[in-house]
Amino acid sequence: MTTHFGCILLGAPGSGKGTQAKVLSDDLRIPHVSTGDILRSEVQSESQLGIRVKEIMSSGQLVSDALICEIVAKRFYKPDLLKGYILDGFPRTVAQADALETILIERGLPQPKVILLNVGNSILIERLTGRLTCSQCGRAFHKTLNPPKAVGKCDACDGELVQRKDDSLETVKKRLEVYEDETKPLIDFYSQKGHLSSLSGDQEMFKITTGIRKVLGA
Ligand code: AMP
């Protein structure tokens, strides 16, 4: 039997989900599914959907459960997810977690492992407000904690590094509030099911990757 590496990375904005998901996706050769990246590319291409969600995203609020679940359900129809996937930024509410269970049952996929990355709020704020994101591949750097080799350029693809609109201090505070209210209840939701493992997200990057791989049995 081939192993299925289905995994949800859970954690506040800035906890390192995206960074870890990219490394694991390369290592394990399974897709990284980031709902934030999907929405950002819709905004960039000025699609109808992008125009609808642009304001919501830049204010730090969540887009509707119905909309995001429809996007994820469509993504799960693609056969590349049959071997595994790393979900980053989804689910973010209990309603989304319920919808994901239905999607997985419909596709005949096993329950994913859920890994919580724990990081304190002051570190999250420092990370997010200093974050630089590659406009091409989405890799994250930091002005001081993890600067790129060449100023303003992504180490991996040479793309332009930008500050995300929602990484301003005011919006970061809003996003952390939304995380507390909407997403934190998922910690209980998944621990009651016995699916949750917690890791400190405030340690060297490779140590976090090793911890996640251990949980996945990879
Ligand atoms: P992220 O890149 O995961 O921080 O997401 C950026 C923004 O996209 C969020 O602040 C939300 O506005 C929106 N978003 C991403 N994923 C979701 C989701 N699962 N549910 C609702 N909104 C989302």
Side-chain angles (χ1 to χ4, degrees):
M1 198 183 95
T2 51
T3 315
H4 187 273
F5 294 120
C7 163
I8 295 171
L9 292 182
L10 194 62
S15 58
K17 302 185 299 294
T19 302
Q20 289 298 328
K22 282 191 171 55
V23 172
L24 288 159
S25 165
D26 287 348
D27 283 3
L28 304 176
R29 293 168 198 277
I30 52 174
H32 167 202
V33 179
S34 155
T35 43
D37 284 351
I38 295 172
L39 295 173
R40 272 184 293 279
S41 80
E42 295 287 339
V43 171
Q44 213 167 11
S45 67
E46 298 182 340
S47 68
Q48 267 190 345
L49 171 62
I51 292 164
R52 250 171 85 195
V53 299
K54 189 175 177 179
E55 285 306 310
I56 304 172
M57 289 178 76
S58 50
S59 70
Q61 307 276 358
L62 296 184
V63 309
S64 77
D65 287 335
L67 178 66
I68 205 80
C69 291
E70 193 187 323
I71 292 171
V72 172
K74 265 194 201 147
R75 183 66 186 86
F76 268 84
Y77 267 115
K78 297 202 178 150
D80 62 330
L81 298 194
L82 291 175
K83 249 181 67 189
Y85 52 83
I86 300 159
L87 275 176
D88 156 19
F90 183 92
R92 253 174 156 105
T93 64
V94 171
Q96 293 179 18
D98 283 333
L100 178 63
E101 296 210 337
T102 308
I103 293 169
L104 295 173
I105 292 168
E106 278 172 14
R107 307 292 184 276
L109 292 172
Q111 280 301 322
K113 301 255 168 67
V114 184
I115 299 166
L116 171 69
L117 300 180
N118 273 312
V119 179
N121 265 18
S122 57
I123 297 174
L124 293 172
I125 292 173
E126 185 191 15
R127 283 186 183 176
L128 289 166
T129 54
R131 179 160 74 174
L132 296 168
T133 304
C134 176
S135 53
Q136 273 180 40
C137 73
R139 275 188 173 70
F141 297 84
H142 190 279
K143 286 175 190 166
T144 52
L145 304 173
N146 175 29
K149 289 186 185 122
V151 178
K153 296 275 175 210
C154 174
D155 292 357
C157 74
D158 215 32
E160 188 197 353
L161 299 182
V162 293
Q163 183 180 42
R164 273 172 47 176
K165 269 220 172 83
D166 58 351
D167 281 344
S168 67
L169 180 59
E170 193 193 338
T171 312
V172 162
K173 285 185 178 161
K174 179 73 210 164
R175 289 162 69 200
L176 293 177
E177 263 175 50
V178 170
Y179 174 75
E180 283 287 323
D181 296 344
E182 304 280 350
T183 310
K184 254 196 168 169
L186 290 178
I187 297 175
D188 273 350
F189 178 93
Y190 284 119
S191 53
Q192 275 164 18
K193 291 176 186 282
H195 295 161
L196 190 84
S197 306
S198 292
L199 290 174
S200 164
D202 182 18
Q203 47 178 337
E204 283 176 84
M205 239 180 72
F206 79 92
K207 289 191 182 156
I208 304 171
T209 311
T210 307
I212 297 175
R213 290 188 70 129
K214 237 187 215 163
V215 173
L216 295 180

